[in-house]
């Protein structure tokens, strides 16, 4: 069974916005801290944002003030505003209850 499915990526111009979604299996979603990661070509996978079960959030310095992570009863989201070319990457969600499980990722390309 697929436990994580990311979607919502696409091509956007600099300064634009996208909202990413991740559908997660309940077994790894409930009571779990969830993260968004991204990986750009030639770079290490980078932790972008975190949301705990209790709703606390944290962000990488590179996205603070621009990205917002949130969750509902089954999904996590990443609202991305003021996008920059440096944000171009494949974005993945992850559960800390299943740290080696990854979805297929969703491509975000920021270009004019």
């Amino acid at each position: 069974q697929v436990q994580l499915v990311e979607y919502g990526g696409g091509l956007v111009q600099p300064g634009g916005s996208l909202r990413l979604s991740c559908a997660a299996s309940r077994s790894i979603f409930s009571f779990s801290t969830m993260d968004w990661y991204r990986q750009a070509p030639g770079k290490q996978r980078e932790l972008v944002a975190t949301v705990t079960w209790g709703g606390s959030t944290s962000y990488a310095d590179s996205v603070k003030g621009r990205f917002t992570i949130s969750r509902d009863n089954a999904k996590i989201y990443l609202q991305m505003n003021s996008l920059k070319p440096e944000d171009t990457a494949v974005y993945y969600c992850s559960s800390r209850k299943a740290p080696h499980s990854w979805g297929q990722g969703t491509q975000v390309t920021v270009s004019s």
Side-chain angles (χ1 to χ4, degrees):
Q1 292 183 336
V2 176
Q3 296 191 99
L4 297 163
V5 179
E6 303 94 339
Y7 55 97
L11 175 64
V12 65
Q13 294 185 352
S17 297
L18 285 172
R19 190 178 81 150
L20 307 183
S21 301
C22 174
S25 299
R26 195 178 195 277
S27 61
I28 64 168
F29 180 85
S30 297
F31 302 104
S32 178
T33 294
M34 303 290 292
D35 302 291
W36 281 101
Y37 286 81
R38 67 186 181 187
Q39 188 164 29
K43 295 185 177 180
Q44 297 288 323
R45 189 167 294 187
E46 174 190 22
L47 178 62
V48 174
T50 297
V51 59
T52 70
W53 181 246
S56 297
T57 60
S58 61
Y59 301 91
D61 287 343
S62 58
V63 307
K64 284 181 181 177
R66 301 188 298 119
F67 290 11
T68 303
I69 189 171
S70 61
R71 69 194 300 165
D72 59 22
N73 63 346
K75 297 178 182 177
I76 64 167
Y77 306 91
L78 188 68
Q79 178 66 47
M80 305 185 295
N81 299 324
S82 302
L83 283 162
K84 303 175 180 180
E86 308 93 89
D87 297 317
T88 296
V90 179
Y91 284 71
Y92 302 89
C93 65
S94 179
S95 169
R96 298 195 186 183
K97 284 191 171 183
H100 301 292
S101 295
W102 299 93
Q104 80 288 347
T106 186
Q107 176 72 50
V108 172
T109 302
V110 185
S111 177
S112 59

